[in-house]
Amino acid sequence: MGTVAFGSVPTELGDVLAAVTDDGLVATAFTDSPHIRAAIAARLGLPEAESPAMGGVLAQLRQYFAGARRQFEVTVDWRLMSTAQRRVLGTLYKTVPYGRVVTYGELAARSGSGIPPRGIGSIMGSNPIPIVVPCHRVVAGDGLGGFSGGTGVESKRRLLTLEGYLPPTLF
């Protein structure tokens, strides 16, 4: 059956929540709250317990937000995603490195999913593991496009600035 463990890291974008199962990192969120934890646990159908893997996941998130980590080395648990989501988000995870972006259309073609760019945007918006599975690196052909995590496009802008894709601005 397994369990799920929760932990969070304070960042300039809020307390970033991580959820870890016996199979790996299953979810992240830009906010930590009892409600969000309960919703993730209910969706998984798993009881909450401690996990020895949580310390490593939180350390990597801290390093990323400090600008000291460019690639996550965590096992990803893809179970909260449909087959189409896994294909598109898996392609994103494997092919778009730190500090780079891809357009919705490019990701549609690269994934070979047959999903049009607008559908790719919906998949990005439903990504259960933002930051680690970097949906913030998917942009529109004519700008940043949308973002449903944190404070929306402003969070996307901050993540892309952290990664050096966008120049620093006055926040």
Side-chain angles (χ1 to χ4, degrees):
M1 179 172 170
T3 60
V4 60
F6 295 98
S8 65
V9 172
T11 75
E12 69 176 31
L13 299 177
D15 290 340
V16 172
L17 174 68
V20 174
T21 66
D22 298 340
D23 295 325
L25 178 66
V26 71
T28 56
F30 286 90
T31 304
D32 185 2
S33 74
H35 171 75
I36 293 172
R37 290 178 181 219
I40 293 169
R43 190 164 173 214
L44 291 165
L46 297 176
E48 186 175 346
E50 297 295 316
S51 169
M54 183 57 73
V57 169
L58 296 179
Q60 288 188 42
L61 283 166
R62 278 188 210 94
Q63 292 163 354
Y64 171 80
F65 281 102
R69 174 168 292 278
R70 293 176 171 250
Q71 182 174 343
F72 289 97
E73 296 170 4
V74 299
T75 302
V76 174
D77 179 345
W78 301 93
R79 78 174 81 185
L80 292 178
M81 298 178 207
S82 69
T83 301
Q85 287 174 307
R86 286 181 195 167
R87 185 168 188 169
V88 171
L89 290 167
T91 299
L92 171 66
Y93 182 71
K94 292 176 189 166
T95 67
V96 184
Y98 184 97
R100 300 284 176 92
V101 299
V102 64
T103 66
Y104 296 101
E106 289 167 343
L107 184 57
R110 191 179 289 186
S111 70
S113 63
I115 297 170
R118 189 171 297 261
I120 298 296
S122 293
I123 288 174
M124 295 306 106
S126 65
N127 176 10
I129 316 174
I131 301 165
V132 175
V133 178
C135 53
H136 61 278
R137 296 180 190 154
V138 183
V139 299
D142 62 353
L144 288 181
F147 195 67
S148 59
T151 57
V153 175
E154 185 57 34
S155 292
K156 184 175 194 172
R157 183 182 317 281
R158 286 179 181 251
L159 290 170
L160 291 175
T161 300
L162 171 70
E163 294 186 7
Y165 178 76
L166 293 176
T169 59
L170 298 174
F171 288 107

mmCIF file of all heavy atoms in Angstrom, residues 1-6 20-23 26 37-38 40-49 77 79:
data_model
loop_
_atom_site.group_PDB
_atom_site.id
_atom_site.type_symbol
_atom_site.label_atom_id
_atom_site.label_comp_id
_atom_site.label_asym_id
_atom_site.label_seq_id
_atom_site.Cartn_x
_atom_site.Cartn_y
_atom_site.Cartn_z
ATOM 1 N N MET A 1 0.826 -1.194 0.000
ATOM 2 C CA MET A 1 0.000 0.000 0.000
ATOM 3 C C MET A 1 0.864 1.249 0.000
ATOM 4 O O MET A 1 0.758 2.076 -0.882
ATOM 5 C CB MET A 1 -0.936 -0.014 1.186
ATOM 6 C CG MET A 1 -1.800 1.206 1.258
ATOM 7 S SD MET A 1 -3.027 1.030 2.548
ATOM 8 C CE MET A 1 -3.637 2.662 2.564
ATOM 9 N N GLY A 2 1.704 1.444 0.989
ATOM 10 C CA GLY A 2 2.587 2.590 1.041
ATOM 11 C C GLY A 2 2.044 3.740 1.864
ATOM 12 O O GLY A 2 0.954 3.678 2.420
ATOM 13 N N THR A 3 2.846 4.796 1.912
ATOM 14 C CA THR A 3 2.509 5.996 2.671
ATOM 15 C C THR A 3 2.939 7.224 1.879
ATOM 16 O O THR A 3 3.637 7.118 0.871
ATOM 17 C CB THR A 3 3.233 6.011 4.034
ATOM 18 O OG1 THR A 3 4.645 5.984 3.801
ATOM 19 C CG2 THR A 3 2.826 4.828 4.902
ATOM 20 N N VAL A 4 2.538 8.384 2.354
ATOM 21 C CA VAL A 4 2.984 9.649 1.792
ATOM 22 C C VAL A 4 3.513 10.511 2.934
ATOM 23 O O VAL A 4 2.947 10.531 4.022
ATOM 24 C CB VAL A 4 1.846 10.370 1.011
ATOM 25 C CG1 VAL A 4 0.665 10.683 1.902
ATOM 26 C CG2 VAL A 4 2.370 11.629 0.325
ATOM 27 N N ALA A 5 4.635 11.176 2.662
ATOM 28 C CA ALA A 5 5.240 12.085 3.640
ATOM 29 C C ALA A 5 5.235 13.489 3.054
ATOM 30 O O ALA A 5 5.312 13.668 1.835
ATOM 31 C CB ALA A 5 6.671 11.655 3.939
ATOM 32 N N PHE A 6 5.137 14.470 3.926
ATOM 33 C CA PHE A 6 5.098 15.867 3.502
ATOM 34 C C PHE A 6 6.183 16.668 4.200
ATOM 35 O O PHE A 6 6.538 16.399 5.347
ATOM 36 C CB PHE A 6 3.739 16.489 3.846
ATOM 37 C CG PHE A 6 2.587 15.881 3.110
ATOM 38 C CD1 PHE A 6 1.801 14.916 3.714
ATOM 39 C CD2 PHE A 6 2.290 16.265 1.814
ATOM 40 C CE1 PHE A 6 0.735 14.341 3.042
ATOM 41 C CE2 PHE A 6 1.231 15.696 1.129
ATOM 42 C CZ PHE A 6 0.446 14.734 1.749
ATOM 43 N N VAL A 20 6.145 12.962 -0.824
ATOM 44 C CA VAL A 20 6.978 11.833 -1.238
ATOM 45 C C VAL A 20 6.294 10.537 -0.841
ATOM 46 O O VAL A 20 5.859 10.380 0.307
ATOM 47 C CB VAL A 20 8.378 11.922 -0.574
ATOM 48 C CG1 VAL A 20 9.215 10.696 -0.866
ATOM 49 C CG2 VAL A 20 9.094 13.183 -1.013
ATOM 50 N N THR A 21 6.202 9.605 -1.810
ATOM 51 C CA THR A 21 5.699 8.257 -1.535
ATOM 52 C C THR A 21 6.888 7.309 -1.483
ATOM 53 O O THR A 21 8.039 7.718 -1.691
ATOM 54 C CB THR A 21 4.743 7.778 -2.643
ATOM 55 O OG1 THR A 21 5.491 7.623 -3.857
ATOM 56 C CG2 THR A 21 3.581 8.746 -2.842
ATOM 57 N N ASP A 22 6.598 6.046 -1.290
ATOM 58 C CA ASP A 22 7.657 5.038 -1.311
ATOM 59 C C ASP A 22 8.309 4.955 -2.686
ATOM 60 O O ASP A 22 9.422 4.451 -2.815
ATOM 61 C CB ASP A 22 7.095 3.666 -0.923
ATOM 62 C CG ASP A 22 6.532 3.641 0.493
ATOM 63 O OD1 ASP A 22 6.899 4.516 1.312
ATOM 64 O OD2 ASP A 22 5.705 2.756 0.783
ATOM 65 N N ASP A 23 7.614 5.457 -3.726
ATOM 66 C CA ASP A 23 8.116 5.398 -5.095
ATOM 67 C C ASP A 23 8.798 6.680 -5.555
ATOM 68 O O ASP A 23 9.333 6.723 -6.656
ATOM 69 C CB ASP A 23 6.973 5.055 -6.059
ATOM 70 C CG ASP A 23 6.412 3.665 -5.814
ATOM 71 O OD1 ASP A 23 7.188 2.759 -5.457
ATOM 72 O OD2 ASP A 23 5.190 3.494 -5.968
ATOM 73 N N VAL A 26 5.963 12.758 -5.558
ATOM 74 C CA VAL A 26 4.692 12.617 -6.262
ATOM 75 C C VAL A 26 3.982 13.954 -6.475
ATOM 76 O O VAL A 26 3.164 14.080 -7.379
ATOM 77 C CB VAL A 26 3.772 11.613 -5.532
ATOM 78 C CG1 VAL A 26 3.253 12.191 -4.220
ATOM 79 C CG2 VAL A 26 2.666 11.098 -6.407
ATOM 80 N N ARG A 37 -2.250 19.269 1.970
ATOM 81 C CA ARG A 37 -1.714 17.954 2.346
ATOM 82 C C ARG A 37 -2.810 16.895 2.352
ATOM 83 O O ARG A 37 -2.627 15.795 1.834
ATOM 84 C CB ARG A 37 -1.041 18.027 3.726
ATOM 85 C CG ARG A 37 0.252 18.808 3.721
ATOM 86 C CD ARG A 37 0.861 18.892 5.111
ATOM 87 N NE ARG A 37 2.086 19.665 5.112
ATOM 88 C CZ ARG A 37 3.172 19.368 5.815
ATOM 89 N NH1 ARG A 37 3.182 18.313 6.606
ATOM 90 N NH2 ARG A 37 4.244 20.130 5.745
ATOM 91 N N ALA A 38 -3.956 17.234 2.931
ATOM 92 C CA ALA A 38 -5.069 16.278 3.004
ATOM 93 C C ALA A 38 -5.581 15.937 1.599
ATOM 94 O O ALA A 38 -5.907 14.775 1.318
ATOM 95 C CB ALA A 38 -6.202 16.847 3.857
ATOM 96 N N ILE A 40 -3.875 15.937 -1.246
ATOM 97 C CA ILE A 40 -2.903 15.063 -1.910
ATOM 98 C C ILE A 40 -3.000 13.650 -1.348
ATOM 99 O O ILE A 40 -3.050 12.669 -2.104
ATOM 100 C CB ILE A 40 -1.467 15.626 -1.777
ATOM 101 C CG1 ILE A 40 -1.335 16.928 -2.572
ATOM 102 C CG2 ILE A 40 -0.435 14.597 -2.246
ATOM 103 C CD1 ILE A 40 -0.050 17.701 -2.305
ATOM 104 N N ALA A 41 -3.046 13.526 -0.023
ATOM 105 C CA ALA A 41 -3.147 12.200 0.607
ATOM 106 C C ALA A 41 -4.423 11.485 0.161
ATOM 107 O O ALA A 41 -4.410 10.283 -0.140
ATOM 108 C CB ALA A 41 -3.095 12.326 2.128
ATOM 109 N N ALA A 42 -5.532 12.225 0.077
ATOM 110 C CA ALA A 42 -6.806 11.624 -0.346
ATOM 111 C C ALA A 42 -6.735 11.194 -1.804
ATOM 112 O O ALA A 42 -7.225 10.106 -2.157
ATOM 113 C CB ALA A 42 -7.949 12.617 -0.144
ATOM 114 N N ARG A 43 -6.154 12.014 -2.644
ATOM 115 C CA ARG A 43 -6.038 11.651 -4.061
ATOM 116 C C ARG A 43 -5.193 10.395 -4.231
ATOM 117 O O ARG A 43 -5.471 9.562 -5.086
ATOM 118 C CB ARG A 43 -5.428 12.821 -4.828
ATOM 119 C CG ARG A 43 -5.495 12.641 -6.309
ATOM 120 C CD ARG A 43 -5.267 13.936 -7.059
ATOM 121 N NE ARG A 43 -5.191 13.638 -8.477
ATOM 122 C CZ ARG A 43 -4.435 14.275 -9.327
ATOM 123 N NH1 ARG A 43 -3.707 15.291 -8.934
ATOM 124 N NH2 ARG A 43 -4.408 13.921 -10.595
ATOM 125 N N LEU A 44 -4.163 10.261 -3.421
ATOM 126 C CA LEU A 44 -3.305 9.081 -3.473
ATOM 127 C C LEU A 44 -3.942 7.874 -2.783
ATOM 128 O O LEU A 44 -3.584 6.741 -3.081
ATOM 129 C CB LEU A 44 -1.957 9.374 -2.802
ATOM 130 C CG LEU A 44 -1.034 10.343 -3.523
ATOM 131 C CD1 LEU A 44 0.078 10.806 -2.585
ATOM 132 C CD2 LEU A 44 -0.464 9.692 -4.778
ATOM 133 N N GLY A 45 -4.832 8.150 -1.824
ATOM 134 C CA GLY A 45 -5.411 7.070 -1.031
ATOM 135 C C GLY A 45 -4.391 6.444 -0.097
ATOM 136 O O GLY A 45 -4.447 5.251 0.190
ATOM 137 N N LEU A 46 -3.467 7.275 0.399
ATOM 138 C CA LEU A 46 -2.390 6.774 1.254
ATOM 139 C C LEU A 46 -2.391 7.496 2.598
ATOM 140 O O LEU A 46 -2.655 8.700 2.661
ATOM 141 C CB LEU A 46 -1.024 7.003 0.588
ATOM 142 C CG LEU A 46 -0.755 6.276 -0.728
ATOM 143 C CD1 LEU A 46 0.596 6.699 -1.299
ATOM 144 C CD2 LEU A 46 -0.808 4.767 -0.537
ATOM 145 N N PRO A 47 -2.022 6.781 3.656
ATOM 146 C CA PRO A 47 -1.871 7.443 4.953
ATOM 147 C C PRO A 47 -0.553 8.221 5.007
ATOM 148 O O PRO A 47 0.398 7.903 4.289
ATOM 149 C CB PRO A 47 -1.861 6.284 5.941
ATOM 150 C CG PRO A 47 -1.313 5.129 5.162
ATOM 151 C CD PRO A 47 -1.811 5.330 3.744
ATOM 152 N N GLU A 48 -0.524 9.220 5.871
ATOM 153 C CA GLU A 48 0.683 10.022 6.043
ATOM 154 C C GLU A 48 1.621 9.355 7.032
ATOM 155 O O GLU A 48 1.199 8.805 8.045
ATOM 156 C CB GLU A 48 0.312 11.423 6.539
ATOM 157 C CG GLU A 48 1.487 12.362 6.596
ATOM 158 C CD GLU A 48 1.113 13.782 6.972
ATOM 159 O OE1 GLU A 48 -0.079 14.133 6.951
ATOM 160 O OE2 GLU A 48 2.038 14.545 7.306
ATOM 161 N N ALA A 49 2.913 9.385 6.728
ATOM 162 C CA ALA A 49 3.958 8.856 7.607
ATOM 163 C C ALA A 49 5.265 9.569 7.266
ATOM 164 O O ALA A 49 5.358 10.267 6.257
ATOM 165 C CB ALA A 49 4.108 7.353 7.420
ATOM 166 N N ASP A 77 7.635 9.977 -8.897
ATOM 167 C CA ASP A 77 6.489 9.067 -8.882
ATOM 168 C C ASP A 77 5.421 9.714 -9.759
ATOM 169 O O ASP A 77 4.821 10.706 -9.379
ATOM 170 C CB ASP A 77 5.999 8.876 -7.442
ATOM 171 C CG ASP A 77 4.803 7.958 -7.322
ATOM 172 O OD1 ASP A 77 4.152 7.672 -8.341
ATOM 173 O OD2 ASP A 77 4.505 7.541 -6.186
ATOM 174 N N ARG A 79 2.457 8.654 -10.695
ATOM 175 C CA ARG A 79 1.126 8.036 -10.589
ATOM 176 C C ARG A 79 -0.064 8.995 -10.639
ATOM 177 O O ARG A 79 -1.163 8.569 -10.934
ATOM 178 C CB ARG A 79 1.035 7.175 -9.330
ATOM 179 C CG ARG A 79 0.832 7.960 -8.050
ATOM 180 C CD ARG A 79 0.615 7.077 -6.857
ATOM 181 N NE ARG A 79 1.900 6.600 -6.371
ATOM 182 C CZ ARG A 79 2.038 5.732 -5.401
ATOM 183 N NH1 ARG A 79 0.981 5.228 -4.816
ATOM 184 N NH2 ARG A 79 3.229 5.362 -5.005
#
